[in-house]
Amino acid sequence: MSSTWREFMSWNKYTQIASRALRQALTETDRVAAEKRAAIGVRYQLWENGQSGEQNYVVPPAKESGSGTPPV
Amino acid sequence: MFARSVRPALNVARAANVQQQQQGMATLREIEQRLKSVKNIEKITKSMKVVASTKLTRAEKAMREAKKYGAANNELFKHTEPEASEEAPKILYVGISSDGGLCGGIHSSITRAIKKEMAANPGSLAVVGDKPKSQLSRAMPQAFKVSFNSVGKDVPTFAEASAIADEIVKNGGEWDQIKIVSNKYLSAISYESGVTSVISAKALQAAAGFQQYEMEEDVSKDLAEFALANAIYTALVEGHAAEISARRTAMENASNNANDMMASLQLQYNRGRQAVITNELIDIITGASAL
């Protein structure tokens, strides 16, 4: 049985999705503890020809009121 | 005696004296202001040092756990050394630091190591952290493939390392080897930059030990991606611990310097104050003796 996920994502993305599913299945206290361990705030920026592109969140945060533009 | 208003010479002399006193006072006020601002700075750096010391214990504990991930990774790499190929392998350098400042030479050590490596074996660049990004984008903007920030405010998690590895695999271009440049934590007061190699899928497939196993699916690419996430995680956590210890040392030095400045300023202030008082006394005495 070949896995179909390989066509769409890397192994890291695959395990991220699987572990997120597992975390959401835990009981309340364990789930909160696990989500603290899995917090992602990292932002990335693609570069081309020495020019930086715009910054994107890997995991977009919950919408806050009055969010400004991220500093470059 | 004559009323004071009809002794113009004395009036002029008194005015000049008052001005001198005011000048002396103004210098005194400047010294007072400097003293107040240096005192505030010392308070800030002292509190930053205390915060860094408390963060350090947590960061060190996380680092000890993370090193086990890295050890497993290195073990795997040892058994799959790539043979030297004729043409130069394409290398992707991953520089790992953070966005925060006031931590001594942490970011510069990464930048220097990357510049040295790029001079010997050029390649493309992925950078984690705003500070090394701005330093390197001035020197070699063409080599950049992807950059990351908002890491390092808290102890890094494996989820973040996995996300970074995923982005690199998606958008990092083509490579034969990956070299991670990060700060190694030597002790609570010293760190050093180091280069770690990560296995590539091709090298894994070619390795003798790997070929002894029968496999339905080719998992070498998965293993290479997991190894990359592992290596990035170890580098992130160790770099985080090194940065916190460097910040603690830098803030401690800043507090000591501020204390020295305060001592010398205080002496200057006292001397100035005594000079002003002495001048006033001289005026009074000469004025009294002239009566």
Side-chain angles (χ1 to χ4, degrees), chain A residues 36-42, chain B residues 55 58-63 65-66 69 96-98 128 150-162 164 229-244:
Chain A
K36 249 188 279 194
R37 280 196 297 269
I40 301 184
V42 68
Chain B
K55 277 192 178 174
R58 230 172 10 131
E60 271 185 342
K61 195 172 88 151
M63 185 184 66
E65 303 295 316
Y69 285 73
I96 306 248
S97 192
S98 77
V128 177
S150 303
V151 188
K153 290 203 194 96
D154 225 339
V155 176
T157 60
F158 187 81
E160 277 176 347
S162 173
I164 291 176
N230 255 340
I232 290 181
Y233 177 59
T234 317
L236 272 174
V237 178
E238 209 174 350
H240 179 72
E243 178 193 333
I244 291 187

Side-chain angles (χ1 to χ4, degrees), chain A residues 5-70:
Chain A
W5 59 265
R6 271 178 235 273
E7 303 166 30
F8 303 104
M9 57 184 86
S10 69
W11 187 88
N12 283 315
K13 190 85 192 156
Y14 169 63
T15 46
Q16 262 189 312
I17 295 175
S19 44
R20 192 177 63 200
L22 180 60
R23 249 173 257 129
Q24 285 168 347
L26 294 173
T27 50
E28 193 60 33
T29 44
D30 292 325
R31 186 177 59 83
V32 167
E35 295 204 336
K36 249 188 279 194
R37 280 196 297 269
I40 301 184
V42 68
R43 297 195 297 196
Y44 70 94
Q45 216 178 5
L46 301 176
W47 290 63
E48 229 164 283
N49 278 331
Q51 292 300 319
S52 57
E54 78 176 43
Q55 285 191 354
N56 300 306
Y57 278 96
V58 170
V59 173
K63 286 247 184 300
E64 312 150 19
S65 56
S67 55
T69 50

Side-chain angles (χ1 to χ4, degrees), chain A residues 1 6 10-11 43 45 55, chain B residues 147 149 166 217 222 225:
Chain A
M1 182 191 76
R6 271 178 235 273
S10 69
W11 187 88
R43 297 195 297 196
Q45 216 178 5
Q55 285 191 354
Chain B
S147 69
N149 58 6
D166 180 46
E217 303 173 13
D222 296 342
E225 289 169 5

Side-chain angles (χ1 to χ4, degrees), chain B residues 208-246:
Chain B
F210 207 69
Q211 289 183 345
Q212 286 178 0
Y213 294 92
E214 246 183 53
M215 272 170 293
E216 265 181 16
E217 303 173 13
D218 176 26
V219 291
S220 61
K221 189 153 172 290
D222 296 342
L223 187 50
E225 289 169 5
F226 179 54
L228 178 61
N230 255 340
I232 290 181
Y233 177 59
T234 317
L236 272 174
V237 178
E238 209 174 350
H240 179 72
E243 178 193 333
I244 291 187
S245 78

Side-chain angles (χ1 to χ4, degrees), chain B:
Chain B
M1 291 268 54
F2 292 119
R4 284 200 183 168
S5 55
V6 296
R7 296 170 80 179
L10 200 52
N11 276 347
V12 167
R14 193 176 297 121
N17 266 346
V18 166
Q19 206 183 34
Q20 224 176 36
Q21 267 178 25
Q22 277 176 351
Q23 263 178 9
M25 288 294 212
T27 323
L28 269 190
R29 205 152 293 156
E30 279 170 15
I31 298 181
E32 213 176 339
Q33 278 176 345
R34 274 193 76 188
L35 205 51
K36 204 165 66 150
S37 79
V38 174
K39 243 183 232 168
N40 286 337
I41 289 178
E42 193 264 340
K43 281 201 196 115
I44 293 173
T45 54
K46 194 160 73 160
S47 67
M48 283 189 77
K49 172 188 148 201
V50 167
V51 165
S53 316
T54 44
K55 277 192 178 174
L56 186 58
T57 43
R58 230 172 10 131
E60 271 185 342
K61 195 172 88 151
M63 185 184 66
R64 258 172 291 146
E65 303 295 316
K67 276 200 163 160
K68 297 174 195 160
Y69 285 73
N73 203 41
N74 290 336
E75 192 67 34
L76 184 57
F77 184 69
K78 259 198 310 206
H79 295 288
T80 61
E81 288 290 345
E83 318 95 41
S85 55
E86 290 84 37
E87 76 271 353
K90 277 192 277 200
I91 306 184
L92 172 68
Y93 292 101
V94 182
I96 306 248
S97 192
S98 77
D99 308 339
L102 293 181
C103 50
I106 288 279
H107 308 298
S108 324
S109 97
I110 296 291
T111 320
R112 253 180 291 132
I114 288 185
K115 283 187 183 161
K116 204 172 78 152
E117 292 286 324
M118 289 281 272
N121 310 311
S124 46
L125 203 47
V127 175
V128 177
D130 276 335
K131 297 275 171 181
K133 173 185 94 168
S134 51
Q135 287 174 1
L136 285 167
S137 63
R138 266 175 297 178
M140 43 184 81
Q142 299 298 329
F144 270 77
K145 284 282 185 244
V146 60
S147 69
F148 301 87
N149 58 6
S150 303
V151 188
K153 290 203 194 96
D154 225 339
V155 176
T157 60
F158 187 81
E160 277 176 347
S162 173
I164 291 176
D166 180 46
E167 264 321 304
I168 289 181
V169 165
K170 270 199 306 204
N171 295 311
E174 298 284 320
W175 69 80
D176 298 318
Q177 273 184 36
I178 293 193
K179 294 205 169 153
I180 298 186
V181 181
S182 66
N183 282 314
K184 307 271 183 232
Y185 182 91
L186 297 179
S187 78
I189 48 174
S190 75
Y191 60 88
E192 198 182 43
S193 61
V195 181
T196 330
S197 291
V198 185
I199 50 171
S200 67
K202 271 185 281 189
L204 249 190
Q205 277 170 339
F210 207 69
Q211 289 183 345
Q212 286 178 0
Y213 294 92
E214 246 183 53
M215 272 170 293
E216 265 181 16
E217 303 173 13
D218 176 26
V219 291
S220 61
K221 189 153 172 290
D222 296 342
L223 187 50
E225 289 169 5
F226 179 54
L228 178 61
N230 255 340
I232 290 181
Y233 177 59
T234 317
L236 272 174
V237 178
E238 209 174 350
H240 179 72
E243 178 193 333
I244 291 187
S245 78
R247 184 167 293 129
R248 202 199 65 88
T249 313
M251 290 297 103
E252 186 174 0
N253 290 337
S255 302
N256 292 340
N257 293 342
N259 280 326
D260 293 342
M261 267 184 92
M262 273 186 344
S264 78
L265 277 177
Q266 189 67 43
L267 285 176
Q268 214 178 334
Y269 181 75
N270 287 340
R271 259 182 275 128
R273 199 173 49 92
Q274 287 164 354
V276 165
I277 292 175
T278 308
N279 284 335
E280 286 184 17
L281 279 175
I282 291 176
D283 291 342
I284 293 172
I285 292 172
T286 46
S289 68
L291 287 171

